[in-house]
Amino acid sequence: MESPLKIAVDFDGTIVEHKYPEIGKEVMFALKTLRALQEQGHLLILWTYRSGKELDDAVEYCRRNGIVFYAVNASYPEEEFDEDYDSRKIDADIFIDDRNIGGLPPWGEIYQMINPDEKPTLEEELKSLTQNKRSLFRWKPRR
Protein backbone atom coordinates (compact mmCIF):
# COMPACT_ATOMS: atom_id res chain seq x y z
CA MET A 1 0.00 0.00 0.00
CA GLU A 2 1.38 3.39 -1.00
CA SER A 3 -0.05 5.51 1.80
CA PRO A 4 -3.07 5.03 4.03
CA LEU A 5 -6.36 6.50 2.92
CA LYS A 6 -8.64 8.51 5.16
CA ILE A 7 -12.00 6.79 4.79
CA ALA A 8 -15.11 8.49 6.16
CA VAL A 9 -17.89 5.99 6.89
CA ASP A 10 -21.52 6.68 7.76
CA PHE A 11 -23.16 4.53 10.45
CA ASP A 12 -26.94 4.17 9.98
CA GLY A 13 -27.74 2.46 6.70
CA THR A 14 -24.06 1.86 5.98
CA ILE A 15 -22.51 -0.10 8.86
CA VAL A 16 -25.88 -1.09 10.34
CA GLU A 17 -29.44 -1.10 9.01
CA HIS A 18 -31.51 2.04 9.63
CA LYS A 19 -33.10 1.83 13.10
CA TYR A 20 -32.11 5.26 14.45
CA PRO A 21 -31.99 6.07 17.33
CA GLU A 22 -31.52 2.35 18.06
CA ILE A 23 -28.73 0.36 16.44
CA GLY A 24 -29.88 -1.89 13.61
CA LYS A 25 -28.43 -5.20 12.48
CA GLU A 26 -25.05 -5.16 10.76
CA VAL A 27 -25.13 -4.55 7.02
CA MET A 28 -23.66 -7.78 5.62
CA PHE A 29 -19.84 -7.75 5.63
CA ALA A 30 -19.58 -4.12 6.83
CA LEU A 31 -17.59 -4.88 9.97
CA LYS A 32 -15.43 -7.55 8.31
CA THR A 33 -14.55 -5.13 5.51
CA LEU A 34 -13.85 -2.24 7.88
CA ARG A 35 -11.60 -4.46 10.03
CA ALA A 36 -9.70 -5.53 6.89
CA LEU A 37 -9.26 -1.89 5.81
CA GLN A 38 -8.14 -0.94 9.32
CA GLU A 39 -5.61 -3.82 9.34
CA GLN A 40 -4.23 -2.48 6.04
CA GLY A 41 -3.45 0.78 7.87
CA HIS A 42 -6.24 2.96 6.48
CA LEU A 43 -7.60 5.65 8.80
CA LEU A 44 -11.32 5.19 9.45
CA ILE A 45 -13.45 8.19 10.36
CA LEU A 46 -16.97 7.70 11.67
CA TRP A 47 -19.00 10.34 9.85
CA THR A 48 -22.59 10.31 11.09
CA TYR A 49 -25.58 12.45 11.96
CA ARG A 50 -25.60 10.89 15.44
CA SER A 51 -24.59 12.92 18.48
CA GLY A 52 -24.62 12.59 22.25
CA LYS A 53 -25.61 9.19 23.67
CA GLU A 54 -26.60 7.84 20.23
CA LEU A 55 -23.12 8.68 18.91
CA ASP A 56 -21.46 7.12 21.95
CA ASP A 57 -23.55 3.96 21.42
CA ALA A 58 -22.48 3.75 17.76
CA VAL A 59 -18.78 4.19 18.62
CA GLU A 60 -19.06 1.55 21.36
CA TYR A 61 -20.87 -0.87 19.02
CA CYS A 62 -18.04 -0.55 16.52
CA ARG A 63 -15.36 -0.84 19.22
CA ARG A 64 -16.95 -4.07 20.51
CA ASN A 65 -16.78 -5.36 16.94
CA GLY A 66 -13.10 -4.55 16.44
CA ILE A 67 -13.35 -1.12 14.78
CA VAL A 68 -11.41 1.76 16.34
CA PHE A 69 -11.90 5.06 14.56
CA TYR A 70 -9.10 7.50 13.81
CA ALA A 71 -11.63 10.30 14.37
CA VAL A 72 -15.36 10.71 14.96
CA ASN A 73 -17.29 13.41 13.09
CA ALA A 74 -13.98 15.20 12.60
CA SER A 75 -11.13 15.22 10.09
CA TYR A 76 -8.54 14.33 12.75
CA PRO A 77 -8.73 13.38 16.45
CA GLU A 78 -7.74 16.76 17.90
CA GLU A 79 -10.02 18.81 15.67
CA GLU A 80 -12.27 21.26 17.49
CA PHE A 81 -15.05 22.52 15.26
CA ASP A 82 -15.56 26.29 15.12
CA GLU A 83 -18.55 27.06 12.89
CA ASP A 84 -17.32 30.64 12.33
CA TYR A 85 -14.09 29.44 10.69
CA ASP A 86 -14.33 25.74 9.83
CA SER A 87 -16.19 23.78 7.21
CA ARG A 88 -18.46 20.95 8.36
CA LYS A 89 -17.12 18.83 5.52
CA ILE A 90 -14.77 16.08 6.65
CA ASP A 91 -11.32 15.89 5.02
CA ALA A 92 -11.25 12.33 3.65
CA ASP A 93 -10.06 10.52 0.55
CA ILE A 94 -13.14 8.30 0.32
CA PHE A 95 -16.69 8.60 1.66
CA ILE A 96 -18.77 5.46 2.19
CA ASP A 97 -22.45 6.30 2.69
CA ASP A 98 -25.76 4.67 1.85
CA ARG A 99 -26.91 8.00 0.42
CA ASN A 100 -24.37 7.99 -2.40
CA ILE A 101 -25.80 8.41 -5.87
CA GLY A 102 -26.74 4.87 -6.74
CA GLY A 103 -26.87 3.80 -3.09
CA LEU A 104 -24.47 1.69 -1.08
CA PRO A 105 -22.63 -0.96 -3.10
CA PRO A 106 -22.14 -4.34 -1.39
CA TRP A 107 -19.23 -4.23 1.04
CA GLY A 108 -17.26 -6.80 -0.97
CA GLU A 109 -17.39 -4.45 -3.96
CA ILE A 110 -16.33 -1.52 -1.76
CA TYR A 111 -13.32 -3.54 -0.61
CA GLN A 112 -12.40 -4.40 -4.19
CA MET A 113 -12.75 -0.74 -5.28
CA ILE A 114 -10.24 0.26 -2.59
CA ASN A 115 -8.01 -2.77 -3.30
CA PRO A 116 -8.40 -3.35 -7.07
CA ASP A 117 -5.36 -5.62 -7.35
CA GLU A 118 -6.39 -7.91 -4.49
CA LYS A 119 -8.55 -10.85 -5.50
CA PRO A 120 -9.24 -13.99 -3.49
CA THR A 121 -7.41 -17.04 -4.73
CA LEU A 122 -9.34 -20.19 -5.58
CA GLU A 123 -7.65 -21.82 -2.60
CA GLU A 124 -8.92 -19.05 -0.27
CA GLU A 125 -12.45 -19.33 -1.65
CA LEU A 126 -12.48 -23.13 -1.26
CA LYS A 127 -11.10 -22.87 2.27
CA SER A 128 -13.83 -20.35 3.10
CA LEU A 129 -16.49 -22.75 1.80
CA THR A 130 -15.12 -25.77 3.68
CA GLN A 131 -14.99 -23.80 6.92
CA ASN A 132 -18.65 -22.84 6.48
CA LYS A 133 -17.74 -19.14 6.32
CA ARG A 134 -19.37 -16.62 4.04
CA SER A 135 -17.09 -15.00 1.51
CA LEU A 136 -16.30 -11.30 1.64
CA PHE A 137 -16.54 -11.19 -2.15
CA ARG A 138 -19.77 -13.01 -2.97
CA TRP A 139 -22.95 -13.47 -0.99
CA LYS A 140 -23.72 -17.02 -0.03
CA PRO A 141 -26.96 -18.00 1.73
CA ARG A 142 -26.75 -19.43 5.24
CA ARG A 143 -27.35 -23.13 5.56
Side-chain angles (χ1 to χ4, degrees), residues 3-61:
S3 62
L5 297 171
K6 286 174 71 175
I7 303 172
V9 184
D10 182 32
F11 186 72
D12 296 287
T14 303
I15 296 174
V16 298
E17 297 173 354
H18 279 286
K19 297 290 180 189
Y20 181 85
E22 285 79 35
I23 293 178
K25 294 179 183 176
E26 176 192 358
V27 171
M28 187 180 296
F29 298 123
L31 296 168
K32 184 175 184 175
T33 303
L34 290 171
R35 282 191 300 270
L37 294 171
Q38 185 174 263
E39 288 169 11
Q40 291 173 347
H42 298 297
L43 305 175
L44 303 180
I45 298 172
L46 182 61
W47 181 49
T48 178
Y49 179 77
R50 288 177 176 251
S51 62
K53 181 184 180 326
E54 288 84 13
L55 177 59
D56 293 341
D57 292 347
V59 170
E60 177 59 19
Y61 171 86

Side-chain angles (χ1 to χ4, degrees), residues 53-99:
K53 181 184 180 326
E54 288 84 13
L55 177 59
D56 293 341
D57 292 347
V59 170
E60 177 59 19
Y61 171 86
C62 291
R63 188 198 62 75
R64 283 193 323 267
N65 285 284
I67 307 301
V68 178
F69 293 103
Y70 166 72
V72 175
N73 284 344
S75 296
Y76 52 92
E78 304 82 18
E79 181 179 35
E80 292 185 26
F81 181 72
D82 182 344
E83 65 183 45
D84 291 333
Y85 298 101
D86 298 325
S87 169
R88 296 194 60 81
K89 188 168 183 173
I90 300 293
D91 175 26
D93 299 302
I94 297 172
F95 292 81
I96 303 173
D97 193 318
D98 62 308
R99 298 193 180 205

